[in-house]
Amino acid sequence: MRDVIVIGAGGGGPVVAAELAAKGLDVLMLEAGPRHAKPREQWTHFENDANNPLTGYFRLGPSDRSKPAWFREWSQNSFVWQVAGVGGTTQHFYGNYPRAYPGVFARYEGSDADRYDTAHRFPFTYSELVPYFEWVEATAPVQTAAMGTKEQVYLRGCETLGIPVQTTKTSYGAGYRPQQNAILQPGGNAGRTTDANLLSYPEATGCTFCGYCFQGCMEPVAAPRNQFAKRSTDNTYVPMALTADAWSPEGRPAALIADAYVTRIHTEQREGELVASGVTWRDNASGSEQREDARVVVMAGGCTENPRLWLNSGLPNPNDWVGRGYTDHFFDWLVGTLDEYTGNSKGPGSAARCDFPGYGGLENVGLPPALEAFALTLSDSGIRGRYDNGRGPTGPWDGQAGRPIGPELKDILGHGVDNLLNVLVITDDDVEPGNRVVPSAFPADEHGPVPKVTFPRRQRSRRTLQNREFLARKAAELLRGAGAKQVYRIDWAPLILHVQSSMRMGESERDSVLDSNAEARWVKRLFIADNSALANSLGGPNPTLTAQALATRTAERIFQQYFGGDPWVVDGQPVVSTDPRISRRLAELGL
Ligand SMILES: Cc1cc2nc3c(=O)[nH]c(=O)nc-3n(C[C@H](O)[C@H](O)[C@H](O)COP(=O)(O)OP(=O)(O)OC[C@H]3O[C@@H](n4cnc5c(N)ncnc54)[C@H](O)[C@@H]3O)c2cc1C
């Protein structure tokens, strides 16, 4: 019998595993996808080899790439980027670590309080989460992003918006700023040269400006795994969990099994309560099934797989909220063409942002060529100015929104990927009960009935749609201010990569699955510790920092509630500031 089983080693699961392994608990992490233990042998900078969602090494599928990817039903025009494997979707991610806006938490009393999704707030205050934000920010670590040419051009556009520079980690109002990123700043030769011979560790440390964050960070060459620049969990919390005895006085190394797909959560009745008692998992390679019991089970399989596993396990769903409230920041994408070099394909993928609390945010995103072409083609308005004439929204961009094709697309890309500037619109979108995961009518796969995800455009609330329009206009204004000659709005179809809140915690038991400790309302000893536990879309900020802060708090609650541990935060003060492992870690990183 294990102390704790964690299902999923993506953005959230390894946080709980590392924190509880550090306290000496016997922790097992089960990860459905592969473990890339030798990235320099397994990864490339070839975009299709990495990013193709069906065949790439980053896909939702087993280690064996000759086997098909796992199927899910997406019943509308949309595109999903969720990755299976140790590190989960953080292997793809850009490491932007802004904090959630205070307005999405309980008892917020700012003058803009009614601008947020007030029906679906977190069941505790912002200040209660601050020590856990700080804990994760110190552990990752989170640093101010390195600036290059594309940031210089983007910030020039921001200066024309009439909003101030933001200098605090908490967003109190509209502002623009360099990102706070979980990417190590360049040191030594990094960022100063493109000569590959000079970009090896330890002569170069941190981000080398290679521009391939999307394909898994393996920079600088020859760096040990935990010194790779981008702090995806395969470079941070996973190694920490596996070596907990080396850095924590009472630590015990966690166990990790990759290619292990959990197909069932087991429960039993104890003293009149339904209690989680273990899991069954399937070995992707052999197809054999094994059962493992534990005192506590933590789900961290992501927003789509958690509801699927819950429903396939026959767990209770009395208020029918399992899988509901799938928020995705209803993204949009605007691109400007400039007559100058922007360095769009270089440096940390996203290093500068604007915040508009109550509406959402804008981010500069740099992309290599194939992804840039992809980003220009995913539209809900059809082909720009053609068959859907009259449908694509108009505004301060050129012509109608929609996807450019033919000579126009050629012209944009022919301009040169490094003469473009991209702005990602990140909408503060409402929790909508109709946006949800349900069992698909398609045939089951080897892991049981497959999930169907629906988020009909018509079910977006008025506030969500208005926020998106507000931000798209700001993005166009920014691009013009930066010097763009042409501005294109694509009107993206749902692009699922900031997915949140499908197993939400909430103030009311009528519309939430988790209580304020992230424990399932109807199954004791069952916790959720990933993006699906979030109460809402955070107001727009990228979700991983908040999900990891919440997962840290959840680990603390598990330790206190079921293993007799002491709290890790006392009187609002994080133990982190005095925790010797943090100073050791910062020293190790030379910070
Ligand atoms: C291109 C891109 C850029 C992004 N950039 C940012 C960014 O800059 N900042 C930010 O905050 N966020 C970013 N994100 C989002 C970020 O990746 C997610 O917030 C984060 O990975 C979510 O963590 P998670 O644990 O909820 O899910 P995941 O990371 O998807 O992890 C879930 C894991 O569980 C495993 N799993 C699922 N079901 C089972 C099962 N039944 N048994 C065993 N294992 C299972 C999966 O294989 C997966 O590894 C980005 C995403 C993409 C695609």
Side-chain angles (χ1 to χ4, degrees):
M1 157 98 65
R2 301 275 183 176
D3 287 330
V4 180
I5 291 177
V6 177
I7 305 167
V15 176
V16 174
E19 296 296 351
L20 293 180
K23 296 291 176 195
L25 300 192
D26 176 10
V27 181
L28 170 65
M29 263 184 292
L30 294 168
E31 167 52 50
R35 182 175 183 202
H36 296 125
K38 295 186 175 163
R40 291 229 143 250
E41 292 167 27
Q42 295 165 309
W43 296 352
T44 71
H45 283 174
F46 293 124
E47 292 187 67
N48 190 54
D49 190 30
N51 305 326
N52 186 314
L54 296 179
T55 59
Y57 60 74
F58 284 166
R59 61 174 187 160
L60 194 87
S63 289
D64 182 351
R65 286 169 73 188
S66 68
K67 292 185 179 165
W70 294 315
F71 178 73
R72 284 117 163 237
E73 186 185 351
W74 302 87
S75 54
Q76 58 280 304
N77 183 24
S78 59
F79 193 91
V80 63
W81 250 314
Q82 285 168 7
V83 182
V86 175
T89 312
T90 70
Q91 294 173 103
H92 254 337
F93 88 161
Y94 276 10
N96 303 144
Y97 266 41
R99 295 180 181 180
Y101 296 148
V104 302
F105 290 82
R107 298 195 285 288
Y108 176 71
E109 288 174 352
S111 56
D112 60 348
D114 58 357
R115 271 229 50 89
Y116 300 89
D117 183 358
T118 50
H120 302 100
R121 291 182 300 201
F122 276 85
F124 49 80
T125 62
Y126 177 78
S127 55
E128 186 176 334
L129 202 59
V130 166
Y132 303 93
F133 281 137
E134 291 176 354
W135 190 294
V136 175
E137 286 163 351
T139 305
V142 177
Q143 304 180 337
T144 303
M147 302 278 103
T149 311
K150 69 179 185 305
E151 290 74 27
Q152 192 177 343
V153 179
Y154 180 88
L155 294 173
R156 188 169 73 207
C158 295
E159 284 170 6
T160 66
L161 295 181
I163 54 176
V165 176
Q166 182 180 326
T167 55
T168 53
K169 289 183 185 168
T170 298
S171 296
Y172 297 105
Y176 65 95
R177 56 173 164 148
Q179 298 267 19
Q180 286 294 98
N181 277 358
I183 297 180
L184 300 180
Q185 283 177 350
N189 294 335
R192 297 172 198 271
T193 175
T194 50
D195 181 347
N197 297 320
L198 299 175
L199 288 173
S200 284
Y201 182 89
E203 284 72 32
T205 58
C207 178
T208 60
F209 271 65
C210 79
Y212 287 101
C213 300
F214 214 97
Q215 286 160 233
C217 186
M218 46 182 172
E219 300 289 327
V221 174
R225 187 72 190 243
N226 72 347
Q227 306 283 308
F228 284 158
K230 190 180 81 168
R231 315 309 286 160
S232 43
T233 57
D234 50 319
N235 295 337
T236 55
Y237 282 101
V238 171
M240 284 172 71
L242 301 183
T243 61
D245 57 332
W247 55 270
S248 169
E250 65 271 40
R252 172 174 179 169
L256 166 68
I257 308 177
D259 260 317
Y261 208 114
V262 175
T263 53
R264 194 170 180 84
I265 294 174
H266 299 285
T267 54
E268 58 190 45
Q269 287 288 342
R270 273 185 226 155
E271 295 168 5
E273 285 186 327
L274 191 65
V275 174
S277 56
V279 305
T280 291
W281 59 275
R282 180 180 176 279
D283 181 330
N284 291 331
S286 67
S288 67
E289 288 198 328
Q290 306 206 28
R291 179 168 171 158
E292 190 86 38
D293 290 328
R295 293 181 176 83
V296 167
V297 175
V298 179
M299 299 176 82
C303 288
T304 308
E305 292 300 316
N306 279 346
R308 174 205 195 184
L309 179 58
W310 183 288
L311 296 171
N312 287 357
S313 301
L315 302 182
N317 183 16
N319 63 8
D320 198 26
W321 264 80
V322 169
R324 289 190 186 270
Y326 198 99
T327 60
D328 63 339
H329 284 161
F330 200 11
F331 289 141
D332 203 348
W333 188 251
L334 286 90
V335 184
T337 55
L338 282 82
D339 286 341
E340 66 183 287
Y341 175 80
T342 59
N344 173 45
S345 67
K346 302 283 184 286
S350 175
R353 67 182 294 113
C354 305
D355 289 284
F356 293 96
Y359 301 90
L362 303 176
E363 272 182 3
N364 173 231
V365 174
L367 290 177
L371 285 168
E372 186 68 55
F374 163 82
L376 285 162
T377 57
L378 179 76
S379 178
D380 244 352
S381 288
I383 295 171
R384 219 170 95 82
R386 307 257 170 152
Y387 311 112
D388 287 287
N389 223 354
R391 194 178 123 201
T394 52
W397 41 89
D398 287 288
Q400 288 177 332
R403 62 184 271 235
I405 61 156
E408 192 173 40
L409 180 61
K410 220 169 131 189
D411 189 46
I412 299 170
L413 291 172
H415 219 79
V417 72
D418 280 328
N419 283 49
L420 302 179
L421 191 69
N422 301 315
V423 182
L424 175 67
V425 166
I426 310 183
T427 305
D428 173 10
D429 49 357
D430 285 333
V431 170
E432 309 278 350
N435 296 349
R436 63 187 299 208
V437 181
V438 294
S440 167
F442 277 89
D445 69 9
E446 63 272 34
H447 307 123
V450 298
K452 170 180 173 177
V453 183
T454 57
F455 36 94
R457 189 185 178 92
R458 271 177 235 96
Q459 287 198 25
R460 305 278 188 179
S461 72
R462 238 173 100 106
R463 192 185 79 92
T464 299
L465 296 174
Q466 284 173 348
N467 283 352
R468 192 170 184 256
E469 290 310 302
F470 171 87
L471 293 166
R473 285 168 181 273
K474 289 284 177 205
E477 212 182 305
L478 185 161
L479 285 166
R480 299 251 187 245
K485 299 292 178 235
Q486 294 282 316
V487 174
Y488 299 91
R489 178 180 177 190
I490 311 301
D491 188 20
W492 266 1
L495 179 58
I496 307 306
L497 55 80
H498 274 189
V499 56
Q500 293 148 109
S501 62
S502 62
M503 304 288 284
R504 64 183 298 274
M505 63 165 44
E507 294 178 301
S508 164
E509 59 187 40
R510 286 196 305 277
D511 61 7
S512 60
V513 177
L514 306 178
D515 68 15
S516 59
N517 288 335
E519 188 170 18
R521 290 191 180 280
W522 319 294
V523 187
K524 295 298 147 202
R525 294 175 179 267
L526 181 60
F527 290 79
I528 301 191
D530 60 13
N531 284 18
S532 68
L534 297 170
N536 51 47
S537 73
L538 312 181
N542 318 50
T544 312
L545 169 63
T546 306
Q548 293 183 338
L550 186 60
T552 307
R553 180 178 175 275
T554 302
E556 177 200 39
R557 300 300 150 99
I558 292 170
F559 190 53
Q560 280 183 266
Q561 206 164 317
Y562 292 116
F563 298 96
D566 293 327
W568 303 348
V569 171
V570 178
D571 296 333
Q573 293 305 311
V575 184
V576 67
S577 52
T578 53
D579 190 329
R581 73 197 164 132
I582 299 297
S583 36
R584 255 204 312 277
R585 174 118 191 82
L586 294 176
E588 198 181 300
L589 293 164
L591 301 170

